[in-house]
Amino acid sequence: MPLAGVLAGWLGSTLVVRPTIPAMAGLHVVACWLVVASPLVRLRELPARERTTV
């Protein structure tokens, strides 16, 4: 999110603010779809940690 804010501020100052709003909305939609398509959605339990002896 902080990176998106920096990118939106840079685009808003470089371009005009109105085209930046739909561009950043589209970027957020793509980011949400990447999370939905990732294996995190199908993960039901936390993976078991392997015990290591030192």
Side-chain angles (χ1 to χ4, degrees), residues 11-36:
L11 279 176
S13 64
T14 304
L15 302 174
V16 186
V17 173
R18 288 194 185 235
T20 302
I21 294 172
M24 292 309 295
L27 184 67
H28 279 91
V29 168
V30 169
C32 289
W33 277 109
L34 288 174
V35 170
V36 169

PDB file of all heavy atoms in Angstrom, residues 11-36:
ATOM      1  N   LEU A  11       2.342   9.738 -10.166  1.00  0.00           N
ATOM      2  CA  LEU A  11       1.524   9.828 -11.377  1.00  0.00           C
ATOM      3  C   LEU A  11       0.632  11.060 -11.352  1.00  0.00           C
ATOM      4  O   LEU A  11       0.422  11.708 -12.378  1.00  0.00           O
ATOM      5  CB  LEU A  11       0.661   8.574 -11.538  1.00  0.00           C
ATOM      6  CG  LEU A  11       1.333   7.363 -12.127  1.00  0.00           C
ATOM      7  CD1 LEU A  11       0.377   6.182 -12.122  1.00  0.00           C
ATOM      8  CD2 LEU A  11       1.816   7.630 -13.526  1.00  0.00           C
ATOM      9  N   GLY A  12       0.083  11.388 -10.179  1.00  0.00           N
ATOM     10  CA  GLY A  12      -0.778  12.560 -10.067  1.00  0.00           C
ATOM     11  C   GLY A  12      -0.037  13.853 -10.314  1.00  0.00           C
ATOM     12  O   GLY A  12      -0.588  14.807 -10.866  1.00  0.00           O
ATOM     13  N   SER A  13       1.232  13.903  -9.942  1.00  0.00           N
ATOM     14  CA  SER A  13       1.992  15.133 -10.175  1.00  0.00           C
ATOM     15  C   SER A  13       2.572  15.169 -11.586  1.00  0.00           C
ATOM     16  O   SER A  13       2.764  16.235 -12.146  1.00  0.00           O
ATOM     17  CB  SER A  13       3.115  15.273  -9.143  1.00  0.00           C
ATOM     18  OG  SER A  13       4.058  14.229  -9.290  1.00  0.00           O
ATOM     19  N   THR A  14       2.850  13.995 -12.168  1.00  0.00           N
ATOM     20  CA  THR A  14       3.382  13.945 -13.524  1.00  0.00           C
ATOM     21  C   THR A  14       2.265  14.110 -14.548  1.00  0.00           C
ATOM     22  O   THR A  14       2.363  14.936 -15.455  1.00  0.00           O
ATOM     23  CB  THR A  14       4.115  12.608 -13.778  1.00  0.00           C
ATOM     24  OG1 THR A  14       5.119  12.462 -12.791  1.00  0.00           O
ATOM     25  CG2 THR A  14       4.737  12.586 -15.151  1.00  0.00           C
ATOM     26  N   LEU A  15       1.236  13.308 -14.406  1.00  0.00           N
ATOM     27  CA  LEU A  15       0.059  13.399 -15.278  1.00  0.00           C
ATOM     28  C   LEU A  15      -0.958  14.290 -14.593  1.00  0.00           C
ATOM     29  O   LEU A  15      -0.666  14.961 -13.616  1.00  0.00           O
ATOM     30  CB  LEU A  15      -0.527  12.005 -15.506  1.00  0.00           C
ATOM     31  CG  LEU A  15       0.392  10.962 -16.123  1.00  0.00           C
ATOM     32  CD1 LEU A  15      -0.314   9.620 -16.142  1.00  0.00           C
ATOM     33  CD2 LEU A  15       0.776  11.353 -17.537  1.00  0.00           C
ATOM     34  N   VAL A  16      -2.144  14.249 -15.097  1.00  0.00           N
ATOM     35  CA  VAL A  16      -3.240  14.948 -14.437  1.00  0.00           C
ATOM     36  C   VAL A  16      -3.865  13.967 -13.447  1.00  0.00           C
ATOM     37  O   VAL A  16      -3.741  12.759 -13.585  1.00  0.00           O
ATOM     38  CB  VAL A  16      -4.278  15.406 -15.491  1.00  0.00           C
ATOM     39  CG1 VAL A  16      -5.369  16.258 -14.875  1.00  0.00           C
ATOM     40  CG2 VAL A  16      -3.586  16.170 -16.611  1.00  0.00           C
ATOM     41  N   VAL A  17      -4.540  14.472 -12.437  1.00  0.00           N
ATOM     42  CA  VAL A  17      -5.073  13.621 -11.386  1.00  0.00           C
ATOM     43  C   VAL A  17      -6.187  12.713 -11.908  1.00  0.00           C
ATOM     44  O   VAL A  17      -6.270  11.548 -11.537  1.00  0.00           O
ATOM     45  CB  VAL A  17      -5.587  14.477 -10.203  1.00  0.00           C
ATOM     46  CG1 VAL A  17      -6.290  13.627  -9.169  1.00  0.00           C
ATOM     47  CG2 VAL A  17      -4.423  15.219  -9.572  1.00  0.00           C
ATOM     48  N   ARG A  18      -7.016  13.193 -12.798  1.00  0.00           N
ATOM     49  CA  ARG A  18      -8.164  12.386 -13.260  1.00  0.00           C
ATOM     50  C   ARG A  18      -7.754  11.090 -13.947  1.00  0.00           C
ATOM     51  O   ARG A  18      -8.374  10.063 -13.698  1.00  0.00           O
ATOM     52  CB  ARG A  18      -9.063  13.214 -14.153  1.00  0.00           C
ATOM     53  CG  ARG A  18      -9.812  14.240 -13.351  1.00  0.00           C
ATOM     54  CD  ARG A  18     -10.950  14.836 -14.133  1.00  0.00           C
ATOM     55  NE  ARG A  18     -11.548  15.884 -13.339  1.00  0.00           N
ATOM     56  CZ  ARG A  18     -12.827  15.912 -13.037  1.00  0.00           C
ATOM     57  NH1 ARG A  18     -13.615  14.964 -13.461  1.00  0.00           N
ATOM     58  NH2 ARG A  18     -13.307  16.880 -12.306  1.00  0.00           N
ATOM     59  N   PRO A  19      -6.758  11.035 -14.829  1.00  0.00           N
ATOM     60  CA  PRO A  19      -6.371   9.735 -15.396  1.00  0.00           C
ATOM     61  C   PRO A  19      -5.660   8.835 -14.386  1.00  0.00           C
ATOM     62  O   PRO A  19      -5.634   7.618 -14.549  1.00  0.00           O
ATOM     63  CB  PRO A  19      -5.418  10.083 -16.532  1.00  0.00           C
ATOM     64  CG  PRO A  19      -5.585  11.510 -16.803  1.00  0.00           C
ATOM     65  CD  PRO A  19      -6.122  12.126 -15.562  1.00  0.00           C
ATOM     66  N   THR A  20      -5.113   9.419 -13.335  1.00  0.00           N
ATOM     67  CA  THR A  20      -4.408   8.624 -12.338  1.00  0.00           C
ATOM     68  C   THR A  20      -5.370   7.775 -11.518  1.00  0.00           C
ATOM     69  O   THR A  20      -5.044   6.641 -11.161  1.00  0.00           O
ATOM     70  CB  THR A  20      -3.611   9.556 -11.409  1.00  0.00           C
ATOM     71  OG1 THR A  20      -2.701  10.315 -12.207  1.00  0.00           O
ATOM     72  CG2 THR A  20      -2.829   8.785 -10.383  1.00  0.00           C
ATOM     73  N   ILE A  21      -6.552   8.296 -11.248  1.00  0.00           N
ATOM     74  CA  ILE A  21      -7.514   7.576 -10.405  1.00  0.00           C
ATOM     75  C   ILE A  21      -7.929   6.244 -11.032  1.00  0.00           C
ATOM     76  O   ILE A  21      -7.836   5.202 -10.378  1.00  0.00           O
ATOM     77  CB  ILE A  21      -8.725   8.476 -10.080  1.00  0.00           C
ATOM     78  CG1 ILE A  21      -8.259   9.644  -9.213  1.00  0.00           C
ATOM     79  CG2 ILE A  21      -9.828   7.685  -9.388  1.00  0.00           C
ATOM     80  CD1 ILE A  21      -9.303  10.705  -8.988  1.00  0.00           C
ATOM     81  N   PRO A  22      -8.366   6.194 -12.316  1.00  0.00           N
ATOM     82  CA  PRO A  22      -8.705   4.880 -12.879  1.00  0.00           C
ATOM     83  C   PRO A  22      -7.487   3.970 -13.056  1.00  0.00           C
ATOM     84  O   PRO A  22      -7.603   2.745 -12.929  1.00  0.00           O
ATOM     85  CB  PRO A  22      -9.338   5.182 -14.229  1.00  0.00           C
ATOM     86  CG  PRO A  22      -9.386   6.632 -14.378  1.00  0.00           C
ATOM     87  CD  PRO A  22      -8.751   7.260 -13.205  1.00  0.00           C
ATOM     88  N   ALA A  23      -6.326   4.551 -13.314  1.00  0.00           N
ATOM     89  CA  ALA A  23      -5.124   3.733 -13.463  1.00  0.00           C
ATOM     90  C   ALA A  23      -4.788   3.048 -12.152  1.00  0.00           C
ATOM     91  O   ALA A  23      -4.470   1.849 -12.119  1.00  0.00           O
ATOM     92  CB  ALA A  23      -3.953   4.596 -13.935  1.00  0.00           C
ATOM     93  N   MET A  24      -4.853   3.754 -11.047  1.00  0.00           N
ATOM     94  CA  MET A  24      -4.548   3.157  -9.752  1.00  0.00           C
ATOM     95  C   MET A  24      -5.651   2.188  -9.314  1.00  0.00           C
ATOM     96  O   MET A  24      -5.377   1.181  -8.673  1.00  0.00           O
ATOM     97  CB  MET A  24      -4.348   4.250  -8.697  1.00  0.00           C
ATOM     98  CG  MET A  24      -3.098   5.079  -8.935  1.00  0.00           C
ATOM     99  SD  MET A  24      -1.593   4.115  -9.178  1.00  0.00           S
ATOM    100  CE  MET A  24      -1.403   3.354  -7.602  1.00  0.00           C
ATOM    101  N   ALA A  25      -6.901   2.474  -9.679  1.00  0.00           N
ATOM    102  CA  ALA A  25      -7.987   1.536  -9.376  1.00  0.00           C
ATOM    103  C   ALA A  25      -7.755   0.225 -10.115  1.00  0.00           C
ATOM    104  O   ALA A  25      -7.944  -0.857  -9.551  1.00  0.00           O
ATOM    105  CB  ALA A  25      -9.328   2.144  -9.746  1.00  0.00           C
ATOM    106  N   GLY A  26      -7.344   0.312 -11.370  1.00  0.00           N
ATOM    107  CA  GLY A  26      -7.036  -0.897 -12.129  1.00  0.00           C
ATOM    108  C   GLY A  26      -5.867  -1.659 -11.537  1.00  0.00           C
ATOM    109  O   GLY A  26      -5.874  -2.892 -11.488  1.00  0.00           O
ATOM    110  N   LEU A  27      -4.870  -0.947 -11.069  1.00  0.00           N
ATOM    111  CA  LEU A  27      -3.723  -1.588 -10.441  1.00  0.00           C
ATOM    112  C   LEU A  27      -4.129  -2.318  -9.161  1.00  0.00           C
ATOM    113  O   LEU A  27      -3.653  -3.416  -8.890  1.00  0.00           O
ATOM    114  CB  LEU A  27      -2.638  -0.548 -10.141  1.00  0.00           C
ATOM    115  CG  LEU A  27      -1.339  -1.071  -9.564  1.00  0.00           C
ATOM    116  CD1 LEU A  27      -0.628  -1.928 -10.603  1.00  0.00           C
ATOM    117  CD2 LEU A  27      -0.453   0.075  -9.139  1.00  0.00           C
ATOM    118  N   HIS A  28      -5.022  -1.727  -8.386  1.00  0.00           N
ATOM    119  CA  HIS A  28      -5.491  -2.382  -7.177  1.00  0.00           C
ATOM    120  C   HIS A  28      -6.332  -3.625  -7.495  1.00  0.00           C
ATOM    121  O   HIS A  28      -6.265  -4.619  -6.774  1.00  0.00           O
ATOM    122  CB  HIS A  28      -6.291  -1.408  -6.313  1.00  0.00           C
ATOM    123  CG  HIS A  28      -5.423  -0.519  -5.506  1.00  0.00           C
ATOM    124  ND1 HIS A  28      -4.996   0.704  -5.957  1.00  0.00           N
ATOM    125  CD2 HIS A  28      -4.885  -0.680  -4.283  1.00  0.00           C
ATOM    126  CE1 HIS A  28      -4.233   1.256  -5.040  1.00  0.00           C
ATOM    127  NE2 HIS A  28      -4.146   0.433  -4.016  1.00  0.00           N
ATOM    128  N   VAL A  29      -7.113  -3.577  -8.566  1.00  0.00           N
ATOM    129  CA  VAL A  29      -7.882  -4.753  -8.975  1.00  0.00           C
ATOM    130  C   VAL A  29      -6.938  -5.885  -9.363  1.00  0.00           C
ATOM    131  O   VAL A  29      -7.138  -7.043  -8.975  1.00  0.00           O
ATOM    132  CB  VAL A  29      -8.845  -4.404 -10.124  1.00  0.00           C
ATOM    133  CG1 VAL A  29      -9.435  -5.649 -10.759  1.00  0.00           C
ATOM    134  CG2 VAL A  29      -9.947  -3.486  -9.621  1.00  0.00           C
ATOM    135  N   VAL A  30      -5.886  -5.568 -10.116  1.00  0.00           N
ATOM    136  CA  VAL A  30      -4.905  -6.583 -10.504  1.00  0.00           C
ATOM    137  C   VAL A  30      -4.222  -7.159  -9.263  1.00  0.00           C
ATOM    138  O   VAL A  30      -4.034  -8.379  -9.154  1.00  0.00           O
ATOM    139  CB  VAL A  30      -3.868  -5.986 -11.489  1.00  0.00           C
ATOM    140  CG1 VAL A  30      -2.697  -6.927 -11.699  1.00  0.00           C
ATOM    141  CG2 VAL A  30      -4.536  -5.664 -12.817  1.00  0.00           C
ATOM    142  N   ALA A  31      -3.884  -6.319  -8.308  1.00  0.00           N
ATOM    143  CA  ALA A  31      -3.234  -6.802  -7.091  1.00  0.00           C
ATOM    144  C   ALA A  31      -4.161  -7.726  -6.300  1.00  0.00           C
ATOM    145  O   ALA A  31      -3.722  -8.748  -5.773  1.00  0.00           O
ATOM    146  CB  ALA A  31      -2.806  -5.616  -6.223  1.00  0.00           C
ATOM    147  N   CYS A  32      -5.449  -7.400  -6.242  1.00  0.00           N
ATOM    148  CA  CYS A  32      -6.400  -8.267  -5.544  1.00  0.00           C
ATOM    149  C   CYS A  32      -6.539  -9.605  -6.253  1.00  0.00           C
ATOM    150  O   CYS A  32      -6.606 -10.652  -5.612  1.00  0.00           O
ATOM    151  CB  CYS A  32      -7.754  -7.582  -5.437  1.00  0.00           C
ATOM    152  SG  CYS A  32      -7.767  -6.217  -4.278  1.00  0.00           S
ATOM    153  N   TRP A  33      -6.579  -9.597  -7.571  1.00  0.00           N
ATOM    154  CA  TRP A  33      -6.688 -10.850  -8.317  1.00  0.00           C
ATOM    155  C   TRP A  33      -5.435 -11.705  -8.152  1.00  0.00           C
ATOM    156  O   TRP A  33      -5.525 -12.935  -8.147  1.00  0.00           O
ATOM    157  CB  TRP A  33      -6.964 -10.592  -9.790  1.00  0.00           C
ATOM    158  CG  TRP A  33      -8.425 -10.373 -10.032  1.00  0.00           C
ATOM    159  CD1 TRP A  33      -9.023  -9.196 -10.365  1.00  0.00           C
ATOM    160  CD2 TRP A  33      -9.477 -11.337  -9.930  1.00  0.00           C
ATOM    161  NE1 TRP A  33     -10.375  -9.373 -10.464  1.00  0.00           N
ATOM    162  CE2 TRP A  33     -10.683 -10.681 -10.213  1.00  0.00           C
ATOM    163  CE3 TRP A  33      -9.504 -12.698  -9.613  1.00  0.00           C
ATOM    164  CZ2 TRP A  33     -11.903 -11.339 -10.188  1.00  0.00           C
ATOM    165  CZ3 TRP A  33     -10.729 -13.346  -9.597  1.00  0.00           C
ATOM    166  CH2 TRP A  33     -11.898 -12.666  -9.882  1.00  0.00           C
ATOM    167  N   LEU A  34      -4.286 -11.092  -8.006  1.00  0.00           N
ATOM    168  CA  LEU A  34      -3.078 -11.874  -7.763  1.00  0.00           C
ATOM    169  C   LEU A  34      -3.135 -12.593  -6.420  1.00  0.00           C
ATOM    170  O   LEU A  34      -2.684 -13.734  -6.302  1.00  0.00           O
ATOM    171  CB  LEU A  34      -1.844 -10.971  -7.824  1.00  0.00           C
ATOM    172  CG  LEU A  34      -1.444 -10.486  -9.214  1.00  0.00           C
ATOM    173  CD1 LEU A  34      -0.298  -9.490  -9.109  1.00  0.00           C
ATOM    174  CD2 LEU A  34      -1.045 -11.658 -10.085  1.00  0.00           C
ATOM    175  N   VAL A  35      -3.702 -11.945  -5.429  1.00  0.00           N
ATOM    176  CA  VAL A  35      -3.842 -12.593  -4.125  1.00  0.00           C
ATOM    177  C   VAL A  35      -4.875 -13.713  -4.202  1.00  0.00           C
ATOM    178  O   VAL A  35      -4.672 -14.804  -3.661  1.00  0.00           O
ATOM    179  CB  VAL A  35      -4.222 -11.560  -3.041  1.00  0.00           C
ATOM    180  CG1 VAL A  35      -4.600 -12.242  -1.743  1.00  0.00           C
ATOM    181  CG2 VAL A  35      -3.087 -10.586  -2.821  1.00  0.00           C
ATOM    182  N   VAL A  36      -5.980 -13.477  -4.902  1.00  0.00           N
ATOM    183  CA  VAL A  36      -7.020 -14.498  -5.027  1.00  0.00           C
ATOM    184  C   VAL A  36      -6.494 -15.703  -5.804  1.00  0.00           C
ATOM    185  O   VAL A  36      -6.820 -16.849  -5.480  1.00  0.00           O
ATOM    186  CB  VAL A  36      -8.273 -13.899  -5.706  1.00  0.00           C
ATOM    187  CG1 VAL A  36      -9.255 -14.984  -6.104  1.00  0.00           C
ATOM    188  CG2 VAL A  36      -8.932 -12.899  -4.781  1.00  0.00           C
TER     189      VAL A  36
END
